[in-house]
Amino acid sequence: MTVVHVETGMHLYGGALQVLMLLRGLAASPGRHVLVCPAGSEIAEAAQGVADRVVAMPVRGDLDVAFGARLYRVLREEDADLVHLHSRRGADVIGGIAARLAGVPAVLSRRVDNPERRWWVALKYRLYAHVITISEGIREVLLAEGLAPERVTCVRSAVDTQTYRPGGDRAWFRREFGLADDEVAVGMAAQFIPRKGHRVLVAAAPAVLAAHPRTRFLLFGRGPEEAAIRSLVHEQGLGDRFVFAGFRTDMAHIFPCLDVLAHPAYMEGLGVTLLQAAACGVPVVGAEAGGIPEAVADGITGYLVPPGDSTALAERVGRLLGDLALRETMGAAGRQHVDARFSVTAMTVLNRRVYERVLGVGSG
């Protein structure tokens, strides 16, 4: 079985990181796995020696017909049995058309829960033999838009629990981000875009600080809303309580040092950063939106709050900050939750099972 994987992300996080973990898992089973990715992308380098072949090529967006032609040639060169389209940008429609022209069945991974128009779903998804969603929440969105249940399978994203684990260096953490010994840290790791809910956390901050004045809020990530959120923080007089930490590649060292992770997103496919934090033993307070309820077991590994409800967010975060034993209990439960439901092995096996189902073959 020869599978061509298409991932168009430039940076090695999110979907691209999931693809790399999948390729590592698949390397232990029979078959040939080829990666098509953008020239200069981080996964192009990281996948060397993991995939059987890495083909790096220009990818210029959703309407890059030349990319489709190049992908078509790779499919023919490899005599591919199946193509797995892991990305939306530049890959889902153009990739599906290239696969159709090459006579190769396509599997699409869907990582976001934003709805699409029913007419577009009916047209676009004809290109794919099967669709994999990273959460049941996304699967329900597609079913509501008219896809047949037998054409959609949930295979949850995975977390490398050997990399993300409890036991961070808190002395380094406090030096790195300028925290005093008596301060507690509430983190949020998300792209600065409206649907991630940074404004909800800023709105919740005064109530949290009223009860726990030695709290610092650390915001990790970057994005178009960052300047607006910085301005909002300063308008609220909270500049000394917030740290804009930027995009970090060492979150596996940072997460274990947080006291609470907040994620008040309005929409979320699953929330891998929530799972990474939970694997590090950190309780999570997330909004009850998209796939977040699959990542956070309410009252067990953290809390769920209504989307946009800054009062509820402040209450739950404050409850955790005021109770070290509760944080430790929920953190340990979070680690167990991730180990049981979000392993790399399970993700690999279930993806391969979809391939075999599409091709009508058995294991081995």
Side-chain angles (χ1 to χ4, degrees):
M1 174 169 59
T2 297
V3 180
V4 173
H5 300 261
V6 182
E7 167 55 49
T8 60
M10 291 299 296
H11 303 288
L12 197 55
Y13 61 84
L17 184 58
Q18 294 295 314
V19 174
L20 183 62
M21 288 192 291
L22 175 60
L23 289 170
R24 286 173 176 158
L26 291 168
S29 59
R32 176 174 171 80
H33 295 275
V34 176
L35 174 66
V36 173
C37 59
S41 62
E42 293 174 3
I43 195 172
E45 180 178 354
Q48 297 290 341
V50 178
D52 293 287
R53 178 189 177 195
V54 176
V55 184
M57 60 177 65
V59 181
R60 298 188 176 91
D62 292 335
L63 300 178
D64 188 358
V65 176
F67 168 72
R70 288 188 288 269
L71 175 59
Y72 171 86
R73 287 195 291 271
V74 172
L75 296 175
R76 296 300 297 269
E77 288 170 7
E78 288 290 339
D79 191 23
D81 295 298
L82 184 144
V83 58
H84 188 164
L85 305 168
H86 293 274
S87 300
R88 188 204 64 78
R89 175 184 169 270
D92 56 355
V93 175
I94 292 292
I97 292 171
R100 178 66 62 87
L101 292 174
V104 178
V107 171
L108 174 73
S109 279
R110 174 76 183 265
R111 300 185 181 278
V112 294
D113 63 340
N114 54 294
E116 298 174 289
R117 295 183 183 276
R118 288 182 70 94
W119 68 266
W120 178 239
V121 170
L123 182 64
K124 170 183 171 181
Y125 286 84
R126 293 177 187 173
L127 294 170
Y128 316 120
H130 207 83
V131 180
I132 294 173
T133 65
I134 64 167
S135 70
E136 287 291 348
I138 300 174
R139 184 173 186 271
E140 291 302 319
V141 168
L142 289 176
L143 297 186
E145 292 172 344
L147 254 64
E150 63 271 15
R151 293 189 58 213
V152 189
T153 299
C154 173
V155 179
R156 292 184 177 90
S157 294
V159 173
D160 180 354
T161 55
Q162 294 304 305
T163 299
Y164 291 91
R165 57 193 307 157
D169 183 343
R170 288 183 176 266
W172 165 83
F173 174 77
R174 293 184 181 282
R175 290 195 305 272
E176 181 75 7
F177 298 108
L179 272 67
D181 289 344
D182 64 339
E183 289 183 311
V184 290
V186 175
M188 181 174 174
Q191 186 181 12
F192 281 88
I193 53 178
R195 67 185 180 92
K196 295 298 184 180
H198 290 86
R199 293 174 185 272
V200 182
L201 181 60
V202 175
V208 173
L209 290 165
H212 305 281
R214 299 299 288 164
T215 302
R216 297 287 289 278
F217 298 89
L218 280 65
L219 305 184
F220 301 95
R222 57 193 175 199
E225 278 272 291
E226 183 177 351
I229 299 302
R230 284 179 180 270
S231 295
L232 181 62
V233 165
H234 287 287
E235 288 168 8
Q236 299 288 333
L238 301 171
D240 65 333
R241 294 291 91 197
F242 274 78
V243 176
F244 288 80
F247 177 76
R248 305 279 302 209
T249 59
D250 56 350
M251 294 305 296
H253 300 293
I254 293 170
F255 278 139
C257 302
L258 296 175
D259 294 287
V260 178
L261 184 81
H263 197 77
Y266 292 96
M267 302 175 70
E268 190 66 74
L270 178 62
V272 172
T273 57
L274 283 66
L275 298 172
Q276 292 169 340
C280 294
V282 179
V284 178
V285 181
E288 194 169 3
I292 294 175
E294 297 167 57
V296 181
D298 188 34
I300 300 172
T301 70
Y303 294 112
L304 295 171
V305 299
D309 191 336
S310 60
T311 300
L313 179 65
E315 192 278 328
R316 295 303 196 190
V317 169
R319 182 182 300 185
L320 285 164
L321 292 179
D323 191 332
L324 174 60
L326 180 62
R327 294 203 303 272
E328 291 176 343
T329 298
M330 286 190 162
R335 172 76 181 182
Q336 294 171 356
H337 180 64
V338 173
D339 269 332
R341 302 188 68 194
F342 299 94
S343 71
V344 176
T345 298
M347 179 185 70
T348 302
V349 168
L350 293 174
N351 271 281
R352 185 174 177 86
R353 195 171 293 167
V354 170
Y355 303 162
E356 292 169 348
R357 178 180 173 187
V358 169
L359 297 175
V361 299
S363 299

